[in-house]
Amino acid sequence: MRIKLKPLSEQVVVITGAISGIGLATARHAVKAGARVMLVARNGEALDRLDAELTQAGGEVAHHVADVADKGQLQSAADAAIARFGTFDTWVNNAGVSTYGRLEDTPLEDQRRLFETNYWGVVHGSLVALPQLKKNGGALINLGSELSDAFIPLQGAYIASKHAVMGFTDTLRLELLADHAPVSVTLIKPSGIDTMFVEHAKNLLDFQPRLPPPVYAPDVVARAILHAASHPVRDLYVGSAGRATVGLARLLPSVFDRIVSRLGVNAQRTDREKVKSDGLHETASELRERSGHNGHVRETSFYTNTARHRSLQTALLTGGAALLAASLIARRKSRLARL
C-alpha cells in the first residue's frame, strides 16, 4: 500500500516537547509552512507565550499541558487537537530528557524517570496517535538519535532509551505495514544539536559537559522532521557526523570501542562552571532553541539534504560506486600490464 501524505500547508501537526530546542524549532517552521499546530509540553506558562508568539505570526495554534510519561494526559492532548482542528495528520514524539554520569553512579530512580519520558513517552504518544492516523492516514515521527545505533560513555541511560525507541519504532512500522495501515512511521536520528540538551540534563559529573563537535543547528532537524511529515521515509540521520559514527561502530566495532573508550570522556569535558539543573523532574520555562555554548554550529547538512531527496542520494551512491569500480578495474589492468 502506497502511503500518501498531505502537503504541510494542509496539515494539523502535534508536537510534544514543543517549548525548547528541536520541538520549538519544528513548531516555528511548521507554522511558517502553513500547518496548524498543537503544542504539547509540561510547562503551561511557556506554552501560553509560545502560543501567543505563533498566533501573532499568523499561525493557527493551540496548546495543551501534558507530561508524556502519563498516557492519559497525552490522550487529553490528542482529544484537544481533534476538538480544535477536527483531526491531526502528523504526530511528532519529540519530548526528551537526559542525564550525564557513569551508569554505576546514576541512581536507578533517575534512570527510570528518564525512560518514562524518552521511551514510554514515545510509546504513549504513538498509541494515542495511531487510532486517528490509521483512520485518516498520516505520519508518526519519533525522535531517536545517532546514539540509537552507537554509544559513548557518560550518557548510558539516555543511549539505552534511544535504543529502545528504535526497537519500538521499527517493530511498530512492520506491524502497520503488515496491516496495510496508511501510516508513515519515521525515526529521526540527529547528531549533536545545539539545543539546551546539556543545560537541561541532570548532571552527576564533577564538570560541565558538552556535545562533541561537529554540532548542527536545531533547524536542520526541524526541516528533516517536516520533510518526513509530508514525504514517507523510513528513517533520517541528521548530520553526516552521526552517520559516520554509526558506520564505524557497525563496520569496526572493536576499533570503535577502543577509540571511544579512550577519547569519549575528554571529548565531552569543558572548563566551564558546572550548571546545576534537573530536567528529569523540572520543566524549562524559557523558549530557547539553542544553547550557544557549542562553538561553531553547522546550519545545514549536505548529507541530510541528499537523504531527504532519495533520487539524488541514489545518484550520488551510484556515481560513487561507479567511480570505485572504475578505479578497481584500472588498478587490475595496471597489474596485468606489469606481469
Side-chain angles (χ1 to χ4, degrees):
M1 178 180 181
R2 187 170 179 269
I3 298 171
K4 295 182 179 180
L5 300 176
K6 297 177 183 177
L8 270 175
S9 59
E10 299 175 11
Q11 286 201 31
V12 175
V13 179
V14 181
I15 305 170
T16 69
I19 60 173
S20 181
I22 292 169
L24 178 56
T26 303
R28 287 168 170 163
H29 277 268
V31 165
K32 287 179 182 177
R36 292 170 288 169
V37 180
M38 171 60 80
L39 309 163
V40 181
R42 288 184 288 173
N43 190 298
E45 186 271 335
L47 282 171
D48 286 339
R49 287 189 287 116
L50 180 58
D51 190 317
E53 172 200 318
L54 297 178
T55 299
Q56 187 174 7
E60 191 173 348
V61 178
H63 67 272
H64 193 87
V65 178
D67 185 340
V68 299
D70 187 321
K71 184 172 181 285
Q73 292 184 29
L74 274 186
Q75 183 63 62
S76 295
D79 294 341
I82 294 171
R84 172 66 184 273
F85 300 116
T87 187
F88 54 82
D89 306 285
T90 292
W91 184 288
V92 183
N93 285 311
N94 164 74
V97 293
S98 189
T99 61
Y100 275 92
R102 290 170 53 86
L103 281 170
E104 292 176 294
D105 299 331
T106 306
L108 291 180
E109 57 267 29
D110 286 347
Q111 297 193 43
R112 290 192 179 99
R113 174 58 192 174
L114 184 147
F115 261 77
E116 287 291 334
T117 299
N118 290 12
Y119 174 69
W120 287 108
V122 168
V123 174
H124 294 158
S126 299
L127 297 181
V128 162
L130 279 176
Q132 186 70 17
L133 296 178
K134 289 171 74 174
K135 183 170 74 171
N136 297 323
L140 176 67
I141 302 172
N142 294 338
L143 266 290
S145 168
E146 62 176 310
L147 300 177
S148 297
D149 299 291
F151 31 86
I152 56 175
L154 306 183
Q155 295 187 57
Y158 174 82
I159 293 166
S161 73
K162 291 302 184 180
H163 275 68
V165 166
M166 181 175 68
F168 171 81
T169 303
D170 288 348
T171 303
L172 178 62
R173 183 187 302 107
L174 293 178
E175 293 175 355
L176 291 172
L177 283 170
D179 293 340
H180 303 288
V183 182
S184 172
V185 179
T186 302
L187 184 64
I188 302 292
K189 301 178 181 180
S191 303
I193 306 298
D194 184 35
T195 66
M196 299 297 288
F197 178 88
V198 173
E199 287 78 4
H200 289 168
K202 183 169 184 179
N203 183 8
L204 303 169
L205 303 171
D206 59 3
F207 60 87
Q208 180 66 10
R210 67 166 184 166
L211 299 175
V215 175
Y216 298 83
D219 303 88
V220 184
V221 192
R223 288 192 290 268
I225 290 170
L226 295 178
H227 174 82
S230 54
H231 301 81
V233 58
R234 184 182 189 277
D235 53 35
L236 273 174
Y237 287 93
V238 179
S240 57
R243 188 65 186 89
T245 297
V246 171
L248 178 61
R250 289 176 174 172
L251 185 64
L252 299 168
S254 296
V255 173
F256 180 87
D257 286 354
R258 287 196 296 272
I259 293 172
V260 178
S261 64
R262 293 174 185 173
L263 304 178
V265 172
N266 284 336
Q268 299 177 79
R269 185 186 296 273
T270 73
D271 296 326
R272 290 191 291 119
E273 182 179 353
K274 179 177 174 178
V275 176
K276 294 182 179 180
S277 63
D278 184 3
L280 287 180
H281 306 287
E282 302 169 1
T283 177
S285 60
E286 74 274 27
L287 298 176
R288 287 187 62 181
E289 293 183 15
R290 304 192 184 205
S291 161
H293 291 297
N294 289 303
H296 174 70
V297 175
R298 300 189 179 190
E299 299 295 331
T300 188
S301 165
F302 177 75
Y303 171 83
T304 304
N305 288 341
T306 60
R308 284 165 47 195
H309 300 86
R310 295 295 181 182
S311 58
L312 177 58
Q313 185 184 43
T314 300
L316 288 172
L317 291 173
T318 302
L323 287 173
L324 178 60
S327 175
L328 291 174
I329 291 171
R331 289 183 184 180
R332 181 174 178 80
K333 286 182 177 179
S334 177
R335 285 181 185 176
L336 291 174
R338 290 196 299 266
L339 293 177

